[in-house]
Amino acid sequence: MIGRVGETPTSPPTDYREVFDKANDGLLIHDADTGEILDANPRMCEMYGYTTAELCRLDIAAISSNEPPFTESASRRNIRRAVQTEPQLFEWVAKAKDGSLFWVEVNLKMIRIGGRDRLLSIVRDISERRRAEEETERLRSALAHVSRLTTLGELSASLAHELNQPLAAILANAQAGLRIMQTDCFDRGEIQDILADIAVDDVRAGEVIRRMRELLRDRRLTSQLVDVRELIADVFGLVRSDAILAQTKLEARVETGLPPVLGDPVQLQQVILNLVVNSLHVMKEWHGDRRRVTVVALPETPRSVRIEVRDTGPGIPEALGPRVFEPFFTTKPQGLGLGLSICRTLVEAHGGKIQAEFTSEPGAKMVVTLPSGRRPGKTRLSATHG
Amino acid sequence: MGEPLDSTIWIVDDDPSVRRSLVRLLHACGYNAQACESAEEFLKSEWRRSPGCLVLDVRLPNLSGLELQSILQERGAWIPVVFITGHGDIPMSVRAMKAGSVDFLTKPFTDQALLAAVKHALMECEGRMTAAIELEDIRRRLDSLSPREQEVLSRVVAGRLNKQIAAELGIAMRTVKLHRAHAMEKLGVRTVADLVRLVEKAGPES
C-alpha cells in the first residue's frame, strides 16, 4: 500500500539558482582541483563581509583564522579528503573581512555542475552555539570551584591539623636546638640532625599548602594526561587526618602499568576527593569493624580506566540507586546534596561515567570510568552535558 | 627543679616527626622522655614503673587520645594527662578537661607552654601518688580488722550508741567497747571524727 497508481509528483524546478541565493547557510563553490573559489552566495558574503567578487579573488587561507589547528595546510587537507574520499564535516575558526574571528561548521561535498567536478562548501555560523557551550563550561568550572571550596571548608580542621603537625615539630626542634647550643660543649651532630628535620618538616608543610592551593584556585580547564596513582596520593594527602578522626584506614590499589587518564587534574581530583570524603563521613557515624576506605584503579577496557571508591560502612540502600546523583539529594543533615551531582557533571564532561554498584560485599561502592589517554592533546573535553 | 629526677614524660603521638622533636626538647630541658606511636603501645609500656606524666595527642589512629584517657581513668591510673592537638577544637578540649586532663595545648606550642604544663602535671602526679599510697594504706588497715570489729565499726560510723550496737549484735556492751577500742587502735585513730574521715577516704566499698 505504498503510493497510489496514477499519481505523479509535481515536476521539480530546473533552475536552482534561487536555492543558492536564498539559502540560510553560506555556500561556496570551489574548483575541485585547485580549491579556488568560483562562486559564493549572499549569506556567505554577509557572514564574511566580502562581496562575491572579492571572495572569488581570495585564497581560502584569507578566510581562516590561521591559528593552529585552523591553518591553511589543514584546510587543504580537508579539501583533499572531500575530493578523494568522502564528504567532510568539521568545525572551524573563520576570519571576516574586518579581521574578526568566528566559529563555523563546514560541510565539504563533491558535486557536479555543468558536467564538471566542483566542491561545495556549506558554511554555517555556529558562534552562538559555541558561546553557549563556552558559557556552560564556564558555569561548570565555577560550580566545580564552589564545590571545591565547600569540600575544603569541610576539611579545614583536618588541613589545619596537617599543617600544625610539621609546625609543632619545627618549633620544638628549633627550641631544643637553642637550648642545646646554650650548653658549653654540645654535639654538632645533634644540631645537624635537628636542622635536617626542620627542613623536612618545612617541605612537608609546603606540600599541604600546595595541595590546598591547587583546589582553591579558580582556573581554566586543562586537558592533560593524569597519573591515577598521583591523583589518589594527593586525595589521601588531603584527607589523611580526617581518616584518623573517622578511625578508618585508607588504602590505594593501583594496577601496575595502568595508563593515565585524560582530563583536568584538579576536577578529577575533586571527584575522587568528594567520593572519599563522603565515605569518611559515613564511617564517622558508623560503628562497625574493619574500618576501611579503599580506592582501586584498574583498566576497564583498553581505552578506559575504572576507579572504584569502596568503604566498609553500612552501604547505600539499593532502592536509592541513581537518585544519589540527583541535585539536592542528601542524607546528611548539613549536606547541600550537590557533591555527587557535581561529580557526575564533571565525570560526564570528561566523557566518563559514574555509578553506585551494588554487590554482595558490605559497604558502598562508587565506580568512576574515565577514558584513558595515550595521545596527549588529541581529544577535546566534550561538552555533552548541558 | 623540684621534680623527682626519676620521673618520665611519656609522649604519645602518631607523627614520628612530632615525637622526635618533643623527645629532643624534653631531653634538652633535662627530663627523661619516652615516645610511643600509639595508645596501644603506651598501654604495653612500663609507664607504671616511675612517676611521670603523659603528653597525649588527641587524634590517634585506632584508639584515640580521649579513649586512652578514659581507659586510664577506669583503671584508676594516677598518671596525669597533658593533651596536645593539631587543631584547637573547643568541645573536644572541654571534654578532655572535664575528664581530668591537666592541660590542653594546641600545636604548635612553645617550649615554655610545654614545660609549664609538664611541671604542673608532675606536681599533680606527686599529689595523686601520695593520695594513692595513703588510700592503699587505709585499705590495708581496714582489711586487718576482724569481721566482728568491722561489724561494730560500721555501726559506730553510722552513729549508733554502744548500747544499740550490743543489742543489734546480741553481745555484751563491754565486748562492744573492747572491739571498738581494738579497731580504733589498729586504724590509728583516736576520735570518732577521725574514724569517719578515714572511712570516707577509703571510699564506699569499705
Side-chain angles (χ1 to χ4, degrees), chain A residues 164-165 175 201 204 241 247, chain B residues 15 17 59 62 86 107 111:
Chain A
N164 283 332
Q165 291 293 98
Q175 294 190 316
D201 278 320
R204 187 177 143 202
S241 170
Q247 311 229 310
Chain B
D15 191 313
S17 180
R59 185 180 290 204
N62 300 322
K107 291 176 195 168
D111 53 356

Side-chain angles (χ1 to χ4, degrees), chain A residues 154-169:
Chain A
E154 287 172 20
L155 288 175
S156 65
S158 291
L159 291 172
H161 187 266
E162 285 300 293
L163 213 47
N164 283 332
Q165 291 293 98
L167 289 181

Side-chain angles (χ1 to χ4, degrees), chain B residues 156-178:
Chain B
V156 172
V157 171
R160 307 279 184 173
L161 301 172
N162 287 344
K163 199 161 64 176
Q164 293 170 311
I165 299 172
E168 277 173 30
L169 297 179
I171 52 175
M173 199 157 93
R174 207 169 45 87
T175 321
V176 172
K177 279 185 182 164
L178 206 65

Side-chain angles (χ1 to χ4, degrees), chain A residues 72-125:
Chain A
E72 187 183 350
S73 62
S75 43
R76 299 242 172 258
R77 192 164 57 237
N78 283 330
I79 288 177
R80 204 166 49 243
R81 281 197 193 130
V83 172
Q84 292 168 357
T85 58
E86 52 179 3
Q88 299 289 307
L89 179 67
F90 53 89
E91 289 182 359
W92 198 255
V93 177
K95 184 155 81 184
K97 189 179 181 182
D98 64 6
S100 61
L101 300 179
F102 58 104
W103 276 96
V104 291
E105 180 190 86
V106 182
N107 195 338
L108 296 180
K109 193 179 188 335
M110 286 297 289
I111 52 174
R112 277 185 80 80
I113 298 176
R116 289 169 183 235
D117 282 340
R118 298 292 184 225
L119 184 67
L120 173 67
S121 288
I122 305 172
V123 182
R124 177 172 291 178
D125 185 341

Side-chain angles (χ1 to χ4, degrees), chain A residues 14 29 50 70 172 183 207 317 331 379 382:
Chain A
T14 46
I29 309 290
Y50 292 106
F70 310 107
T183 55
E207 184 67 8
T331 54
T379 316
S382 64

Side-chain angles (χ1 to χ4, degrees), chain A residues 99-225:
Chain A
S100 61
L101 300 179
F102 58 104
W103 276 96
V104 291
E105 180 190 86
V106 182
N107 195 338
L108 296 180
K109 193 179 188 335
M110 286 297 289
I111 52 174
R112 277 185 80 80
I113 298 176
R116 289 169 183 235
D117 282 340
R118 298 292 184 225
L119 184 67
L120 173 67
S121 288
I122 305 172
V123 182
R124 177 172 291 178
D125 185 341
I126 55 164
S127 318
E128 269 314 307
R129 196 179 87 203
R130 292 295 302 208
R131 250 198 296 282
E133 279 172 9
E134 275 161 21
E135 179 65 6
T136 307
E137 191 141 293
R138 196 187 60 75
L139 285 176
R140 188 163 48 223
S141 302
L143 181 62
H145 181 234
V146 169
S147 150
R148 285 201 297 276
L149 294 185
T150 313
T151 309
L152 269 183
E154 287 172 20
L155 288 175
S156 65
S158 291
L159 291 172
H161 187 266
E162 285 300 293
L163 213 47
N164 283 332
Q165 291 293 98
L167 289 181
I170 289 170
L171 185 55
N173 270 323
Q175 294 190 316
L178 286 173
R179 280 173 188 272
I180 291 168
M181 286 177 78
Q182 273 163 17
T183 55
D184 286 337
C185 57
F186 58 83
D187 182 0
R188 285 172 62 94
E190 193 171 3
I191 298 296
Q192 250 167 12
D193 289 347
I194 286 177
L195 292 176
D197 280 358
I198 287 177
V200 168
D201 278 320
D202 205 282
V203 170
R204 187 177 143 202
E207 184 67 8
V208 175
I209 292 177
R210 181 194 66 78
R211 286 199 203 101
M212 257 165 65
R213 284 186 43 146
E214 274 298 300
L215 282 177
L216 280 172
R217 242 176 37 218
D218 189 7
R219 29 180 295 295
R220 286 188 75 83
L221 211 62
T222 62
S223 180
Q224 59 193 75
L225 292 177

Side-chain angles (χ1 to χ4, degrees), chain B:
Chain B
M1 279 179 273
E3 294 93 18
L5 283 174
D6 60 344
S7 60
T8 303
I9 318 298
W10 293 88
I11 294 154
V12 181
D13 198 308
D14 63 322
D15 191 313
S17 180
V18 170
R19 279 201 304 275
R20 202 161 54 237
S21 66
L22 290 182
V23 168
R24 229 177 234 149
L25 181 59
L26 288 167
H27 279 168
C29 297
Y31 285 102
N32 289 326
Q34 295 260 22
C36 303
E37 61 173 333
S38 67
E40 291 84 348
E41 192 189 326
F42 173 75
L43 286 171
K44 278 184 225 147
S45 76
E46 300 193 316
W47 63 272
R48 284 171 193 279
R49 286 271 178 97
S50 58
C53 70
L54 172 57
V55 176
L56 176 59
D57 190 22
V58 174
R59 185 180 290 204
L60 294 169
N62 300 322
L63 213 54
S64 77
L66 291 174
E67 283 165 338
L68 174 60
Q69 185 194 23
S70 64
I71 288 176
L72 289 173
Q73 230 161 17
E74 276 164 30
R75 299 188 185 171
W78 39 259
I79 191 164
V81 177
V82 173
F83 271 116
I84 54 176
T85 177
H87 69 302
D89 165 336
I90 292 168
M92 197 182 264
S93 48
V94 168
R95 230 179 97 196
M97 293 306 258
K98 276 192 178 156
S101 76
V102 285
D103 259 306
F104 201 99
L105 304 177
T106 302
K107 291 176 195 168
F109 43 79
T110 61
D111 53 356
Q112 285 116 316
L114 177 67
L115 292 181
V118 162
K119 226 169 263 184
H120 182 189
L122 289 180
M123 266 160 55
E124 176 77 19
C125 174
E126 210 177 304
R128 286 186 195 178
M129 284 184 92
T130 312
I133 291 165
E134 198 187 0
L135 183 67
E136 184 95 337
D137 181 52
I138 294 170
R139 293 221 169 116
R140 214 184 41 244
R141 281 189 277 169
L142 283 172
D143 282 347
S144 72
L145 301 180
S146 72
R148 196 49 124 189
E149 284 166 351
Q150 281 180 11
E151 279 175 338
V152 171
L153 264 200
S154 64
R155 284 170 174 78
V156 172
V157 171
R160 307 279 184 173
L161 301 172
N162 287 344
K163 199 161 64 176
Q164 293 170 311
I165 299 172
E168 277 173 30
L169 297 179
I171 52 175
M173 199 157 93
R174 207 169 45 87
T175 321
V176 172
K177 279 185 182 164
L178 206 65
H179 282 312
R180 185 172 160 164
H182 273 158
M184 290 189 49
E185 198 190 315
K186 280 186 185 169
L187 295 180
V189 293
R190 292 174 53 195
T191 66
V192 175
D194 286 343
L195 172 69
V196 170
R197 245 194 312 276
L198 187 122
V199 171
E200 265 176 1
K201 265 190 193 166
E205 60 203 86
S206 42

